Amino acid sequence: MDIKAPDLGVDSAEVSEIMVAVGDVIAKDDNIILLESDKASVEVPSSAAGKVTKISVAIGDQVSEGMVLIELESETDSQDDNQSVETPAADTQEKSLDGEREEPQKEEQSDKVAVESNTDQPVEQEATATTHALPDLGVDEAQVSEIMVSVGDMVTADQSILLIESDKASVEVPAPQAGKVEKILIQVGDMVANGQDFIVIIGQSSDNANATSEAKAPVAQSQDSKPAVSEQKTDSSQEAAKQATTEPKQVASTTAKSSTGNKLTEAQVNEKMVDVYAGPAVRKLARQLGVDISEVTGSALNARILKEDLFAHVKQSLTTKQAAPATGAGVSRASLPSLPDMSNVEIWGETETQDLTRLQKVSIPQLNYNTYLPQVTQFDLSDITETEQLRSELKGSMKAEGVGLTILAFIVKATAYALTQHPRFNSHLSDDNTQVILRKSVNMGIAVATDDGLIVPVIKNAHEKGIKQIAIEIGELAIKARDKKLSTKDLQGASFTISSQGILGGTAFTPLVNWPQVGILGASEATMQPKWNADKQTFEPRLMLPLSLSYDHRVINGADAAVFTRYVATLLADPRRILL
């Protein structure tokens, strides 16, 4: 029996891991091959049960829909072969009793016959096991941070069963149906992608819930007989996966020694990335950093390489270089030395250790990107006296409608309009540093402070929305952020970010550019300041709002930043200009 590749959603994908070996006995829906395209990793399940007799692909092969992956010997065929060997003299008798030969096979294939003989419930109403795939995560891949259920647990529909973490957010995945957890197909630390199978749930109807214990006993026995096969398959598949991931890395490491200590070219990196176990996002990051990924040690399941492993490798490499023959240079900005030993209380005093929140932990890799950005900050002031007067006139009627109108809504509107007039600030730098990718729409990220840390939900198409609609969405996103109800789509797609410190205090600050964006605008607390009126030859009290624009100097020049910041300040001083 040939097991072929299903519809992959792409023209072709590369074989990254083979999860079975010749001789393994596998069940239907067991994962057999791991395929990777440019955007996702997909585990291909077997469409039938049986014994693996041949593996038709190898690691590194390009696979397309309909291609034969493995060949199986079905359980039925193997039973027929065994019967013919054990009773050769009875061939003529079996040929005359074809109808009788099929009945024992049916009895072994399903224990539901025994159930049907002891209960009035029809076979069609028995509980069925369903394999479920992950929903759209909003990112190419994310890491499994926590599995909230165990095999055998009863779950209800929409109950949170899985915690997925990407670079920007933590998302709880709900149970797709009610029932009993039959099998969990992923582990903590795995990198998962949209549409990947992650759990098998046995759905149970109300009729089945009323079935007698005598009727369920044969089914329970049949289920209890499965673990031996699963364990045999798991052990052999893990051994095969280990061989597939370690042997190529040893070869790649020997070929890479000649270039150790030098930043590899993109062609060299691509050549060495074929034989390692890592997802598309990690491979892309390795290319950007110029890291020989074959020399990186993976910390996830089956030595899979994560982004954190890349950062640790870079940190170790830079630290080693600094420890080499001294030149008097300080520690590289990309790495820090280890903390000193603080066990001596007389010197250091007493200390206390506190864990970072989950959100803070997943934010660290994103913040580390700033190490590689040449960032500059431009400061300016906006006279928002008239704008604040307009806000005061409108906020009463807005509040009656349940809308909180803050100065942030005006800042978002003015900045969104400014980005349409200065599109270079609403862009991304290409991976090869040769092009600027201009965004046609303005998706504005809004930094929100929560008890767990800073999170940045996104207002989509802010340039097309009025101040009132922006104020409504700011309020809704802020509530969802503090209640931990933000979805991945609420956090993805930002082209520019605004960070407002509101009434928290301070005169100015330097916000960090949120890669891959090229700019972020900070707003501090507005204060009354004297401003010279040339017409009246006197100082007047005016409400001044400090603005801080940080930008990626690879894309934005200082003069352009000054012009853009002043333009935003002018729009905020008189929002009627947006109507022109």
Side-chain angles (χ1 to χ4, degrees):
M1 181 186 303
D2 293 338
I3 304 299
K4 299 180 180 180
D7 181 7
L8 305 175
V10 293
D11 293 337
S12 64
E14 181 181 315
V15 178
S16 176
E17 179 183 354
I18 299 174
M19 302 176 173
V20 295
V22 174
D24 286 353
V25 177
I26 63 175
K28 183 180 179 181
D29 295 329
D30 279 351
N31 292 322
I32 56 174
I33 300 287
L34 178 65
L35 299 178
E36 289 191 352
S37 64
D38 294 336
K39 296 185 177 180
S41 300
V42 179
E43 292 180 343
V44 178
S46 174
S47 57
K51 182 179 181 181
V52 179
T53 59
K54 182 180 179 181
I55 298 176
S56 304
V57 294
I59 293 178
D61 287 356
Q62 292 292 320
V63 174
S64 56
E65 181 181 358
M67 182 180 295
V68 176
L69 302 177
I70 64 173
E71 294 181 8
L72 292 181
E73 179 185 28
S74 68
E75 295 178 354
T76 303
D77 292 339
S78 106
Q79 289 173 6
D80 289 343
D81 293 341
N82 291 337
Q83 289 177 0
S84 63
V85 171
E86 292 172 2
T87 56
D91 287 346
T92 56
Q93 182 180 359
E94 289 185 358
K95 291 179 181 178
S96 63
L97 299 175
D98 289 338
E100 296 179 4
R101 290 177 58 194
E102 296 178 359
E103 291 183 5
Q105 295 173 3
K106 293 180 181 178
E107 196 171 323
E108 293 178 7
Q109 291 172 359
S110 174
D111 290 306
K112 293 180 181 178
V113 175
V115 176
E116 190 173 349
S117 64
N118 293 322
T119 180
D120 294 332
Q121 298 294 331
V123 174
E124 290 74 15
Q125 293 183 355
E126 286 298 326
T128 57
T130 305
T131 301
H132 297 279
L134 287 169
D136 182 7
L137 304 175
V139 292
D140 291 339
E141 63 176 3
Q143 186 177 25
V144 179
S145 176
E146 181 180 353
I147 299 175
M148 305 175 183
V149 294
S150 303
V151 173
D153 288 353
M154 298 299 297
V155 296
T156 59
D158 297 328
Q159 172 186 338
S160 295
I161 59 176
L162 196 65
L163 182 64
I164 301 291
E165 290 186 347
S166 65
D167 292 338
K168 297 184 178 180
S170 300
V171 178
E172 293 183 352
V173 177
Q177 73 171 95
K180 180 181 179 181
V181 178
E182 169 73 5
K183 190 175 183 181
I184 299 174
L185 306 177
I186 56 178
Q187 297 183 12
V188 173
D190 285 0
M191 300 301 293
V192 295
N194 302 330
Q196 178 176 330
D197 291 341
F198 76 107
I199 196 168
V200 179
I201 297 178
I202 299 179
Q204 194 167 21
S205 66
S206 59
D207 293 336
N208 288 332
N210 297 327
T212 63
S213 59
E214 291 81 6
K216 293 181 179 178
V219 177
Q221 293 174 2
S222 67
Q223 291 176 346
D224 291 341
S225 65
K226 292 180 180 179
V229 177
S230 299
E231 290 178 7
Q232 180 181 354
K233 177 259 168 186
T234 302
D235 294 340
S236 58
S237 64
Q238 288 181 349
E239 183 178 354
K242 184 177 180 181
Q243 293 176 355
T245 54
T246 55
E247 292 177 1
K249 285 183 67 175
Q250 294 173 355
V251 175
S253 298
T254 57
T255 59
K257 288 182 179 178
S258 60
S259 59
T260 301
N262 297 325
K263 186 173 182 179
L264 301 179
T265 65
E266 185 172 354
Q268 289 174 317
V269 172
N270 289 336
E271 181 181 355
K272 293 174 185 262
M273 292 178 82
V274 176
D275 297 327
V276 298
Y277 190 19
V282 176
R283 294 170 182 270
K284 180 178 179 181
L285 179 59
R287 286 193 294 268
Q288 292 172 344
L289 300 179
V291 172
D292 180 359
I293 200 171
S294 66
E295 296 182 347
V296 179
T297 302
S299 61
L301 181 66
N302 293 330
R304 186 180 181 88
I305 298 174
L306 308 177
K307 291 182 180 179
E308 290 76 8
D309 299 328
L310 284 179
F311 290 127
H313 178 79
V314 171
K315 180 178 179 179
Q316 182 181 4
S317 299
L318 292 173
T319 304
T320 302
K321 290 180 181 179
Q322 292 296 329
T327 58
V331 177
S332 169
R333 64 190 179 100
S335 63
L336 294 172
S338 300
L339 288 173
D341 182 7
M342 299 183 182
S343 59
N344 191 329
V345 179
E346 293 182 358
I347 298 177
W348 298 97
E350 295 187 2
T351 60
E352 179 185 357
T353 301
Q354 294 183 349
D355 291 336
L356 294 176
T357 65
R358 182 181 292 111
L359 181 58
Q360 289 172 326
K361 290 178 182 178
V362 299
S363 298
I364 288 176
Q366 180 71 21
L367 293 172
N368 284 340
Y369 291 153
N370 280 93
T371 304
Y372 307 99
L373 296 181
Q375 177 174 300
V376 184
T377 304
Q378 174 73 28
F379 301 97
D380 210 328
L381 287 171
S382 176
D383 184 348
I384 61 170
T385 308
E386 275 73 27
T387 302
E388 176 60 22
Q389 183 178 354
L390 174 61
R391 188 188 73 85
S392 299
E393 294 173 357
L394 296 175
K395 70 177 183 179
S397 59
M398 290 273 195
K399 187 176 182 180
E401 299 179 27
V403 180
L405 183 62
T406 65
I407 194 64
L408 180 58
F410 290 86
I411 298 174
V412 171
K413 180 60 180 177
T415 305
Y417 181 79
L419 291 171
T420 63
Q421 306 302 307
H422 298 79
R424 201 172 184 85
F425 288 83
N426 197 52
S427 69
H428 309 292
L429 183 64
S430 65
D431 291 337
D432 59 3
N433 296 341
T434 62
Q435 295 177 315
V436 173
I437 303 169
L438 302 177
R439 298 282 290 271
K440 297 295 184 181
S441 58
V442 177
N443 292 347
M444 192 70 73
I446 305 295
V448 177
T450 69
D451 293 338
D452 291 334
L454 194 67
I455 196 166
V456 187
V458 181
I459 298 176
K460 301 295 196 303
N461 299 312
H463 61 298
E464 298 177 351
K465 298 174 180 177
I467 292 176
K468 179 179 179 180
Q469 180 60 33
I470 291 174
I472 292 173
E473 294 194 24
I474 289 175
E476 292 175 346
L477 291 172
I479 292 174
K480 290 172 69 176
R482 295 186 179 102
D483 293 343
K484 302 180 181 180
K485 299 296 184 182
L486 289 169
S487 67
T488 52
K489 292 184 178 179
D490 292 329
L491 298 164
Q492 301 295 324
S495 57
F496 193 88
T497 298
I498 292 177
S499 178
S500 176
Q501 293 186 339
I503 59 173
L504 298 178
T507 58
F509 66 104
T510 304
L512 296 178
V513 175
N514 189 14
W515 180 88
Q517 301 164 35
V518 298
I520 180 173
L521 181 67
S524 299
E525 183 181 5
T527 58
M528 296 299 298
Q529 299 180 22
K531 185 178 181 182
W532 178 253
N533 188 326
D535 295 334
K536 296 181 180 180
Q537 291 294 301
T538 184
F539 285 98
E540 295 179 347
R542 307 293 290 180
L543 185 62
M544 307 300 291
L545 176 70
L547 299 176
S548 307
L549 174 73
S550 293
Y551 56 93
D552 186 342
H553 209 343
R554 298 174 302 172
V555 179
I556 308 297
N557 292 324
D560 296 330
V563 171
F564 178 80
T565 312
R566 178 51 56 90
Y567 187 62
V568 173
T570 302
L571 294 176
L572 282 172
D574 187 2
R576 294 174 299 176
R577 294 175 180 270
I578 298 174
L579 302 176
L580 301 177

